[in-house]
Amino acid sequence: MSGRVDPPVPRSWLAVWLPVWLAGLLLAIAVWEIVATRHAATRVPGDDTWRRAAAVVRAGHQPGDLIVFAPPWVDPVGRMHLGDLIPVEMAGRMDADRYGRIWEVAHAGERAAETAALRPVEERAVGGLVVRRFERTPVEIRADVRELLPQARIAGPGRPTLELAEVGFTPRRCIQVSPPPGQAVRITFALPAGTLVGHAGLADVFTRRDIRAPGTLDVEVGGRVVASVSPGVDDGWVRFAAPIPGGDVTFVARAPAPQRLICFAAEVRP
Amino acid sequence: MIAPRWIGLVLAVMTMAIVVANQHEVGLARDEIVYMQHGARYADWWLGLAKLEHGASRQHITKSFGGPGATDNNREHPPLMKTLFGLSHRLVHKRLGVDEVTAFRLPSAILHGILVGLVFAMVLALWGTAEATVAALLVMFLPRALFHASLAAFDAPIMTLWFATIYAYWRSLDGRKWPWQVGVVFGLALATKHNALLLPFALGLHYLYVGFRAGGLRGLILHRWRVIVSLALLGPLTLVAVWPWLWFDTYAHLRAWLDFHLTHVHYNFEYLGHNWNAPRFPWHVALVTTLFTVPVVTLAGSLVGAGVWISRRVAAPDRARAPGLLLGLSAAASITPFFLGTTPIFGAEKHWMPALPSLCIAAGVGIVWATRALAERLSRRHATAVLGAFAGVIVLAAAVETVTAQPYALTWYNALAGGPPGGADRGMNRQFWGVAARGALPVLAPHAPATGSAPVYTHDASPAWGFYQKLGLLPRSLPDAGHEAAGIERSRFAIVIHERHFNRHDYLIWKSYGTVQPLYVLRARGVPIVSIYKRRPSR
């Protein structure tokens, strides 16, 4: 060998070790990703676990008990195993306040919105699922406008109907009315005294997409507005409440745009 | 020693084979049926023309390619892939006896193989065999891209033709006298999907950069002017050549094509727990969706690779043609419109998939750069073998994600998101196009009555239902019941393909069937994708 050899160019400590560290990091990420991917693919409880959890619910279930699931996306699987105990009216409930006993079947660590503020009286882990039972004093329902719709007095263009509608991507059994733009539909019920608690929203995702205007629902007693909500296209199922005296209570639905499917439900409670 | 180009060829063929094998389990997409039907018509027209059975009159062309309505004969989409689907069906199915769906989907699979081959070729020329192999494998193991390549649709093919245009443009910058290739390939990209209209933003900016560096202000235009001429002339000419609908009233038909997409309705999609169907959309949809739908190792590798490109830009290969910048601009042109908040996003990552080859190339460069350093530190003597082993482990992670994702890859999310259940927890889009209905067929089929019929409310799978029956996946006694409430009323069975805005179908069925209880819920890695209902016997 002959010739001159160039002296090596000195490299900084960082330049030498950075790629080595990064290689180690990439390898660590790869190993983690392989393990995490396989874990994620198998972590959701299967039908055997669901069957065992459903058996726990069935053993203690009483007519009228509410059954809920968590997280929300597991709802179809829950209904597959326990849907025979969930009447359509219960699935389309206004809210959960009228239910004194609630069963919750949830993935470990998950809770349903209906039970978030409650403490379970019974809790059993079944595989990757947890079955919880909650008990509380249910609210007394003095009147439900949905049941009184056939006797209601209606004024204005548009006929309200009782529907099972999609409002905010949830099922709602509600009175649905579609007032022409700028006109009001008035629906009057004879109700007992108490606190009127209700919810309202806009039904049907496609009309909500195509027409972006809100709808408005006023509650009038003796010509005076005691509650008013104007649910918009992204507001879902909006709550309202107001004390009412016994007598005529009028729900006034109106909208500035066509095809506003205003849906509402309301109950008189103490 | 195997010549590197053979490695690229093997990887390309392997990719094609994987796609063909994978598509057998992938259901028929709603739009795919439309493309198949019209592709068959387009192919017949071309074959008829070649055999001189008919001419190319306005009337003949309109009958197969156009019409007065905006979607007549699917004229809102350019015809290249549809024509190839149709020709493949005529040749591979009717002549060679391959099953019909595979025949329709074969062109997508071949193009996906070509993509892998082109990525390999470009990286090989610029960086080396190891980088090229890893980059090509990372393209092969993109779970969502593999899924889309398994369909007779445009989203995977435009990724190939977009990248082919980038590749041809880069090659054409070598000063060749007749750079016709770039113009023709750009024209084929235009004839595949309207995404190609974004390519001039990447190519234009890149040309200005390399032109200015090479020749100052004069170079802005004259550096490689033939490339510009090729793109500007041969691109549109190729588009017109393969699209008979543009052979007359060209301006009006081009305008109608573009108007359709510029005024496209906003479909529903779910993102971070919210259903979006009207602008403004969050600026970060494309970013987060990509973060959750590309294997984590590929994302991490691409960050390392981008860092290597930037830190070593002075010593980068082929500085005159600035390939790193070109790949960066390619990705940016593809994905940037989705940061605007007004661009329709319904198909999520499929709309910006042309950005992914750049990501994989960066990852290939970054992974090899880092693992080579580690391998040399551990064993200089066996550095190549150690490099192969380390890079193999990294690629394996992408492969595991890809295998896990199929055949319901639209429901799949990567390990960073927590897999499909993590995607559901985060309120990410569940699926679209009704593909998952394919998995419900084995559950429904045994319920077919021996006599008479039991109509099925097929919902988003309605366009594919007849095809499933034709393929023998469903008995004829389970016909499609029809649309919406009237269809549900007629039905004895019903399916709901779970997307958030499709919840309404559940409620319509509950009301009609009097129960909220499905007979069966099909799941992808535990996440519900299809519910099947059975009407209770009337009392």
Side-chain angles (χ1 to χ4, degrees):
Chain A
M1 285 194 28
S2 63
R4 205 187 69 198
V5 177
D6 289 333
V9 179
R11 296 175 71 200
S12 72
W13 182 83
L14 187 66
V16 172
W17 285 102
L18 183 65
V20 177
W21 288 343
L22 288 173
L25 182 64
L26 286 171
L27 281 167
I29 290 172
V31 172
W32 165 79
E33 186 167 21
I34 292 166
V35 174
T37 299
R38 297 317 302 165
H39 171 71
T42 54
R43 79 170 164 92
V44 176
D47 282 333
D48 283 345
T49 309
W50 270 97
R51 270 189 282 274
R52 285 189 286 133
V56 173
V57 175
R58 287 180 191 282
H61 184 267
Q62 295 173 7
D65 286 2
L66 176 65
I67 304 173
V68 295
F69 309 103
W73 56 263
V74 83
D75 187 69
V77 182
R79 283 186 283 104
M80 181 175 84
H81 288 278
L82 287 162
D84 55 311
L85 302 179
I86 306 172
V88 175
E89 293 73 18
M90 184 182 281
R93 61 190 172 274
M94 184 183 86
D95 60 28
D97 292 352
R98 66 164 67 187
Y99 299 99
R101 282 165 53 98
I102 303 176
W103 293 90
E104 178 185 75
V105 186
H107 286 181
E110 298 282 350
R111 290 292 294 272
E114 290 88 345
T115 66
L118 303 177
R119 277 171 166 264
V121 294
E122 182 186 343
E123 180 170 319
R124 278 180 64 179
V126 183
L129 294 172
V130 181
V131 179
R132 301 184 184 95
R133 182 165 61 82
F134 302 88
E135 288 189 1
R136 62 173 173 193
T137 306
V139 296
E140 178 194 335
I141 309 297
R142 292 180 178 169
D144 181 335
V145 296
R146 292 169 297 184
E147 311 307 329
L148 297 173
L149 183 61
Q151 294 89 48
R153 301 191 299 279
I154 295 145
R159 304 298 302 174
T161 53
L162 188 60
E163 302 288 346
L164 179 67
E166 175 272 311
V167 180
F169 308 100
T170 55
R172 299 298 172 188
R173 186 169 166 268
C174 58
I175 296 171
Q176 182 173 296
V177 59
S178 182
Q183 299 184 55
V185 178
R186 303 175 65 84
I187 310 157
T188 303
F189 300 91
L191 296 178
T195 300
L196 183 76
V197 177
H199 285 74
L202 297 177
D204 185 43
V205 60
F206 288 106
T207 50
R208 287 199 303 270
R209 177 190 69 178
D210 297 338
I211 300 160
R212 307 294 290 171
T216 296
L217 185 74
D218 291 340
V219 182
E220 292 181 4
V221 177
R224 190 172 63 86
V225 176
V226 297
S228 179
V229 284
S230 294
V233 293
D234 291 323
D235 292 339
W237 190 233
V238 182
R239 189 178 192 273
F240 60 89
I244 54 167
D248 281 357
V249 175
T250 302
F251 292 76
V252 186
R254 52 198 159 75
Q259 294 184 58
R260 294 297 67 184
L261 301 176
I262 299 171
C263 250
F264 68 94
E267 296 169 349
V268 181
R269 299 171 179 178
Chain B
M1 186 78 178
I2 306 168
R5 66 174 184 279
W6 288 106
I7 299 175
L9 185 66
V10 168
L11 290 174
V13 172
M14 263 176 64
T15 303
M16 198 192 80
I18 289 171
V19 175
V20 169
N22 186 59
Q23 62 84 30
H24 282 292
E25 296 300 315
V26 174
L28 294 164
R30 193 183 58 210
D31 290 21
E32 196 183 13
I33 301 296
V34 178
Y35 305 150
M36 289 172 173
Q37 286 166 348
H38 290 287
R41 287 173 71 94
Y42 298 174
D44 285 343
W45 188 90
W46 282 104
L47 292 171
L49 188 71
K51 292 176 191 164
L52 302 178
E53 289 169 359
H54 60 74
S57 69
R58 173 186 287 250
Q59 190 189 355
H60 269 120
I61 290 172
T62 304
K63 204 173 158 190
S64 292
F65 291 92
T71 59
D72 285 351
N73 280 312
N74 199 235
R75 69 176 171 88
E76 72 274 24
H77 291 296
L80 178 65
M81 291 313 301
K82 285 177 282 183
T83 308
L84 293 177
F85 300 150
L87 290 171
S88 175
H89 179 259
R90 295 308 186 245
L91 175 69
V92 179
H93 171 62
K94 290 198 167 172
R95 293 272 177 87
L96 304 179
V98 171
D99 76 87
E100 223 172 333
V101 177
T102 301
F104 273 124
R105 289 170 166 176
L106 190 60
S108 295
I110 292 170
L111 278 174
H112 207 54
I114 290 173
L115 172 68
V116 167
L118 290 177
V119 165
F120 183 90
M122 186 170 184
V123 181
L124 177 69
L126 290 166
W127 286 282
T129 308
E131 287 87 344
T133 306
V134 173
L137 285 168
L138 292 177
V139 174
M140 188 193 292
F141 295 127
L142 285 169
R144 296 271 180 118
L146 177 66
F147 171 86
H148 287 292
S150 302
L151 301 175
F154 316 137
D155 302 293
I158 188 58
M159 179 164 65
T160 299
L161 282 152
W162 176 292
F163 186 75
T165 308
I166 295 288
Y167 178 76
Y169 163 81
W170 168 72
R171 292 282 305 265
S172 298
L173 287 177
D174 61 3
R176 65 187 62 195
K177 199 170 180 184
W178 302 109
W180 57 270
Q181 302 90 338
V182 63
V184 171
V185 175
F186 176 52
L188 295 176
L190 286 171
T192 298
K193 203 178 173 194
H194 59 279
N195 302 42
L197 292 163
L198 297 168
L199 267 165
F201 291 103
L203 304 183
L205 283 172
H206 182 266
Y207 184 86
L208 291 175
Y209 175 78
V210 294
F212 185 76
R213 258 195 1 187
L217 287 176
R218 196 166 175 273
L220 287 178
I221 306 279
L222 298 176
H223 173 53
R224 296 283 185 250
W225 61 271
R226 288 184 176 89
V227 173
I228 303 299
V229 172
S230 177
L231 283 163
L233 285 182
L234 290 181
L237 281 176
T238 305
L239 171 68
V240 172
V242 299
W243 197 352
W245 181 236
L246 301 183
W247 292 0
F248 58 92
D249 296 338
T250 308
Y251 175 72
H253 291 168
L254 276 172
R255 206 178 66 178
W257 169 43
L258 299 179
D259 278 351
F260 181 87
H261 296 285
L262 289 171
T263 57
H264 198 288
V265 66
H266 291 280
Y267 295 162
N268 292 275
F269 72 97
E270 196 180 355
Y271 174 68
L272 295 181
H274 188 87
N275 185 83
W276 298 91
N277 55 22
R280 297 198 66 90
F281 304 121
W283 65 268
H284 43 74
V285 173
L287 203 65
V288 174
T289 305
T290 302
L291 202 65
F292 285 165
T293 57
V294 172
V296 186
V297 285
T298 308
L299 293 168
S302 70
L303 285 177
V304 175
V308 172
W309 282 353
I310 292 166
S311 64
R312 297 183 156 193
R313 61 192 176 282
V314 178
D318 194 22
R319 274 196 76 205
R321 289 188 287 181
L325 177 69
L326 177 61
L327 291 168
L329 287 170
S330 166
S334 166
I335 203 168
T336 300
F338 300 94
F339 290 92
L340 301 178
T342 51
T343 310
I345 296 185
F346 47 87
E349 82 296 330
K350 81 182 177 79
H351 293 312
W352 58 82
M353 279 202 311
L356 297 184
S358 297
L359 208 72
C360 293
I361 291 172
V365 171
I367 288 167
V368 171
W369 173 77
T371 50
R372 180 175 282 141
L374 179 61
E376 284 177 355
R377 191 143 292 272
L378 291 177
S379 168
R380 278 187 180 277
R381 200 170 155 204
H382 303 292
T384 306
V386 176
L387 164 67
F390 287 166
V393 171
I394 293 170
V395 170
L396 179 65
V400 169
E401 292 268 29
T402 305
V403 170
T404 305
Q406 311 304 327
Y408 304 114
L410 297 179
T411 307
W412 165 88
Y413 290 89
N414 67 13
L416 203 60
D425 283 336
R426 284 167 174 74
M428 297 299 285
N429 208 45
R430 186 71 55 87
Q431 57 184 323
F432 55 90
W433 271 350
V435 175
R438 166 80 171 75
L441 307 183
V443 181
L444 272 171
H447 291 273
T451 56
S453 70
V456 183
Y457 178 65
T458 60
H459 164 37
D460 211 28
S462 173
W465 208 252
F467 213 131
Y468 285 138
Q469 291 185 316
K470 191 174 163 189
L471 294 170
L473 296 170
L474 265 177
R476 297 274 176 191
S477 55
L478 292 172
D480 179 18
H483 297 294
E484 294 289 318
I488 292 171
E489 282 309 312
R490 267 194 297 276
S491 69
R492 296 247 312 264
F493 293 90
I495 66 171
V496 176
I497 297 162
H498 291 299
E499 293 182 57
R500 198 166 191 218
H501 70 285
F502 283 160
N503 287 359
R504 56 187 286 276
H505 295 273
D506 273 302
Y507 314 150
L508 289 167
I509 293 162
W510 296 356
K511 194 175 165 187
S512 174
Y513 283 26
T515 179
V516 303
Q517 186 171 37
L519 176 72
Y520 183 74
V521 178
L522 179 70
R523 282 149 279 180
R525 309 297 173 188
V527 177
I529 48 176
V530 182
S531 283
I532 304 169
Y533 292 90
K534 182 181 182 183
R535 188 184 289 280
R536 293 168 168 177
S538 49
R539 292 167 194 161

